């Protein structure tokens, strides 16, 4: 078996998905789960892009020990310096510096001649090597670059000290045959290629990202880049869980192994979906809700007789257990704390107390508390940004009946601690509620999307609401879980607004 390194870019390319705005604590939670998932390297962000990104990358670099942490930099000295500041305490700091190479990018974006592109790439790789022992250089839009030019620049950046060469299909345009051939060509035409690892990075614009990634591996790539659930720019990146499972199930065809722990797939996928607000389509390969559902009578009959008739992946393989009932109304603090540790959470005393309180409140309404419920509670607690001034919900009431006009009344405390209240009507209860919140909140708001789903199953399942809001024209995602749909909807709306409010406070503090 040939070892393939997994490079996760959920927190960088994945975070570039429209509407995704993770705060520092949410990014850290995802990073910790990626470490559990077994990724060899995680791209924690782009530190030079904002102070917020710098701080998240630093926090992740200071915390994560079992995966190498890498950050993205443009071919600019100050980007490399800032990245070093963010990464210098990492267990294995690594830098990812990129420069576009295709004729389209050279002509229209960089306004540079081929020789100038080579000189810049070489000088930045040399500069990066003064600080980092692992330097990955990416030829942005490699798949639309003339192969002889690509070979020339790759040879020169390896001479300059690049240890990993990444050849992305930046716009998801390549076919498997073309993309595979590019790796073969580079392997055969770059004399010093044995001094670097070849890496692939595929986008899914034509739905070819998995096929392209496999073609790259079959032609010499030994590092694969991708994201959890395939999130990312436009149509996204290759989904790592799909690759991991494809390599495992078809090891007869693909003699490759990774360090991924496949039984962490479900948990990783759920966490990323919950925190990014990017829900997973029901029929998505491996992690979709229907991936293990058999609808037709013939299939059900077959599976009952022998699962392998229609099931090539087992739910257990990806960590989809039967969501065991674990604690109830009478469970004490001790049993609760043990369960938190068993689920892999490391909570401060204060957060542990808050989580136990939430759990107890839930047991008043819900008889069976499952792992999924607990994950929802713990994720909320672990990523809570209390300590910042923000809108607080003091009270809300919604009246709905078939014979009256839906009306909502809301009382809020503003970030500067004033109490405000209003009441509005709407054609439905959520509309009335959102109309009232819009009325009260002193920012320009536009609702772009609103989704509600359940955590687990059953009438008493927790409701999870996700809201996309334009706050002063900036897209923010808010989410919340609650026993009640209306409460989850109200809190998700406020959560989106508060992200904006907190981001502004962080920026103002930095200016001071
Ligand atoms: O798709 C791409 O080309 C990228 C680079 C920054 C590697 O994400
Ligand atoms: Zn990309």
């Amino acid at each position: 078996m040939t070892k393939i390194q997994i490079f996760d870019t959920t927190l960088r390319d994945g975070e570039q998905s429209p509407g995704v705005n993770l705060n520092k604590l949410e990014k850290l939670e995802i990073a910790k789960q990626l470490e559990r998932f077994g990724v060899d390297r995680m791209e924690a962000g782009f530190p030079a892009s904002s102070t917020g990104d710098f701080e998240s990358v630093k926090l992740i670099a200071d915390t994560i020990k079992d995966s190498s942490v890498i950050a993205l930099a443009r071919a600019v000295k100050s980007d490399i310096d800032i990245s070093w500041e963010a990464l210098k305490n990492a267990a294995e700091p690594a830098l990812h510096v990129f420069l576009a190479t295709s004729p389209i990018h050279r002509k229209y974006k960089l306004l540079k001649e081929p020789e100038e592109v080579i000189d810049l790439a070489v000088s930045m790789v040399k500069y990066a090597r003064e600080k980092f022992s692992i330097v990955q250089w990416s030829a942005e839009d490699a798949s639309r670059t003339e192969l002889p030019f690509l070979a020339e620049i790759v040879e020169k950046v390896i001479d300059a000290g690049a240890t990993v060469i990444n050849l992305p299909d930046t716009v998801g345009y390549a076919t498997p045959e073309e993309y595979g051939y590019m790796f073969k060509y580079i392997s055969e035409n770059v004399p010093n290629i044995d001094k670097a690892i070849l890496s692939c990075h595929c986008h899914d614009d034509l739905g070819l990202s998995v096929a392209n990634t496999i073609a790259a591996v079959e032609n010499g790539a030994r590092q694969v880049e991708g994201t959890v659930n395939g999130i990312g720019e436009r149509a996204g990146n290759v989904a790592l869980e799909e690759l991991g499972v494809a390599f495992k199930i078809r090891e007869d065809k693909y003699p490759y192994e990774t360090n991924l722990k496949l039984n962490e797939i479900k948990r990783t996928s759920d966490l990323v979906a919950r925190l990014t607000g990017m829900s997973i389509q029901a029929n998505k390969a491996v992690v979709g809700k229907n991936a293990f559902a058999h609808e037709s009578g013939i299939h059900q009959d077959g599976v009952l007789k022998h699962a392998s008739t229609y099931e090539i992946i087992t739910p257990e393989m990806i960590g989809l257990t039967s969501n065991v009932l674990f604690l109830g109304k009478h469970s004490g603090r001790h049993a609760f704390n043990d369960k938190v540790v068993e689920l892999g959470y490391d909570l401060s005393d204060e957060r542990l107390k808050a989580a136990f309180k939430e759990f107890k409140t839930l047991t008043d309404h819900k008889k069976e508390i499952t792992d999924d419920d607990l994950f929802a509670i713990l994720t909320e607690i672990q990523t809570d940004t209390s300590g910042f001034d923000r809108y607080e919900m003091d009270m809300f009431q919604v009246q709905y009946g078939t014979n009256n006009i839906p009306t909502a009344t809301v009382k809020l405390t503003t970030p500067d601690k004033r109490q405000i209240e209003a009441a509005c009507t709407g054609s439905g209860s959520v509309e009335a509620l959102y109309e009232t919140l819009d009325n009260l909140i002193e920012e320009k708001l536009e609702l772009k999307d609103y989704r509600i789903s359940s955590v687990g199953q059953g009438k008493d399942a927790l409701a999870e609401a996700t809201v996309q809001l334009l706050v002063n024209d900036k897209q923010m995602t808010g989410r919340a879980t609650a026993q009640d749909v209306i409460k989850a909807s109200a809190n998700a709306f406020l959560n989106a607004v508060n992200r904006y409010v907190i981001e502004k406070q962080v920026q103002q503090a930095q200016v001071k």
Side-chain angles (χ1 to χ4, degrees), residues 270-333:
D270 280 355
L271 183 73
V272 169
R274 173 168 293 141
L275 293 184
T276 58
M278 297 204 56
S279 46
I280 299 164
Q281 82 206 48
N283 62 328
K284 166 151 177 351
V286 181
V287 290
K289 182 157 77 55
N290 293 351
F292 299 98
H294 300 278
E295 185 65 23
S296 90
I298 296 173
H299 286 210
Q300 285 171 355
D301 179 56
V303 168
L304 285 175
K305 288 182 174 140
H306 202 288
S308 67
T309 49
Y310 289 102
E311 209 170 75
I312 59 162
I313 313 167
T314 64
E316 292 74 30
M317 177 185 279
I318 64 152
L320 183 64
T321 48
S322 45
N323 198 19
V324 219
L325 150 78
F326 86 96
L327 295 171
K329 200 173 174 57
H330 303 292
S331 306
R333 196 178 287 270

Side-chain angles (χ1 to χ4, degrees), residues 82-101:
I82 294 171
S83 302
W84 175 248
E85 284 311 307
L87 291 168
K88 62 186 177 197
N89 296 328
E92 189 182 74
L95 184 81
H96 180 189
V97 58
F98 74 100
L99 186 61
T101 51

Side-chain angles (χ1 to χ4, degrees), residues 166-186:
N166 182 38
L167 304 177
D169 183 25
T170 302
V171 290
Y173 178 77
T175 66
E177 192 206 356
E178 288 164 349
Y179 197 60
Y181 181 69
M182 177 174 69
F183 281 84
K184 183 169 153 56
Y185 182 93
I186 294 298

Side-chain angles (χ1 to χ4, degrees), residues 41-195:
R41 187 158 287 156
M42 63 176 82
E43 190 163 41
F46 181 5
S49 67
S50 71
T51 324
D53 231 43
F54 174 88
E55 284 186 355
S56 314
V57 173
K58 180 159 174 32
L59 180 64
I60 292 169
D62 293 351
T63 313
I64 298 299
K65 294 294 162 236
D66 292 339
S67 308
S68 165
V69 179
I70 191 163
L72 185 71
R74 289 165 298 184
V76 177
K77 278 187 176 174
S78 57
D79 276 26
I80 298 170
D81 295 339
I82 294 171
S83 302
W84 175 248
E85 284 311 307
L87 291 168
K88 62 186 177 197
N89 296 328
E92 189 182 74
L95 184 81
H96 180 189
V97 58
F98 74 100
L99 186 61
T101 51
S102 67
I104 303 174
H105 281 240
R106 291 189 321 247
K107 182 169 174 197
Y108 297 107
K109 189 178 89 174
L110 299 177
L111 312 175
K112 285 195 193 306
E113 293 300 319
E115 283 314 312
E116 293 177 288
V117 174
I118 295 179
D119 289 348
L120 182 58
V122 164
S123 67
M124 286 306 114
V125 168
K126 276 192 183 146
Y127 185 72
R129 276 305 304 266
E130 288 172 17
K131 296 180 160 73
F132 292 89
S133 58
I134 300 166
V135 172
Q136 165 165 324
W137 179 76
S138 281
E140 191 189 12
D141 208 15
S143 55
R144 292 192 299 172
T145 301
E146 316 89 315
L147 288 173
F149 176 66
L150 193 60
E152 187 186 346
I153 193 166
V154 166
E155 182 182 347
K156 292 194 170 140
V157 293
I158 294 176
D159 274 343
T163 53
V164 182
I165 297 293
N166 182 38
L167 304 177
D169 183 25
T170 302
V171 290
Y173 178 77
T175 66
E177 192 206 356
E178 288 164 349
Y179 197 60
Y181 181 69
M182 177 174 69
F183 281 84
K184 183 169 153 56
Y185 182 93
I186 294 298
S187 303
E188 289 173 354
N189 290 278
V190 173
N192 55 0
I193 198 67
D194 57 314
K195 300 207 168 57

